[in-house]
């Protein structure tokens, strides 16, 4: 996964954005829900965070979360005081 995840993400992006196929199985939100730190509920924010750790090590810009949430659904709900649609 580490070696090929960008190709997988691009493929899913093309299906979602360009072809309008939206499923939760390969959604970024689904990835975040599974890989978020149990303490913070986030995949960014520290060198040990799931996404940020690898991106820092590889010296690759992590720009997914400029648009997408970096918190698991439960953490997002706790921060906002409600649930995400």
């Amino acid at each position: 996964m580490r070696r090929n995840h960008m190709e997988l993400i691009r493929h899913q992006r093309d299906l979602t954005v360009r072809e309008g196929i939206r499923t939760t199985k390969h959604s970024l939100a689904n990835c975040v829900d599974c890989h978020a730190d149990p303490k913070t509920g986030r995949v960014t924010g520290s060198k040990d965070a799931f996404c940020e750790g690898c991106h820092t090590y590889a010296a690759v810009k992590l720009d997914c979360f400029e648009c997408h949430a970096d918190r698991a659904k439960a953490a997002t709900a706790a921060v906002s005081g409600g649930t995400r649609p």
Side-chain angles (χ1 to χ4, degrees), residues 12-13 15-27 68:
Q12 187 61 36
R13 177 205 60 197
L15 290 175
T16 301
V17 175
R18 297 184 180 146
E19 297 181 30
I21 300 170
R22 297 182 179 272
T23 64
T24 56
K25 181 179 179 185
H26 297 107
S27 71
H68 297 279

Side-chain angles (χ1 to χ4, degrees), residues 21-48:
I21 300 170
R22 297 182 179 272
T23 64
T24 56
K25 181 179 179 185
H26 297 107
S27 71
L28 187 58
N30 199 32
C31 297
V32 170
D33 286 345
C34 287
H35 295 294
D37 183 289
K39 293 177 186 170
T40 64
R42 297 178 63 180
V43 293
T44 62
S46 76
K47 65 180 178 75
D48 298 322

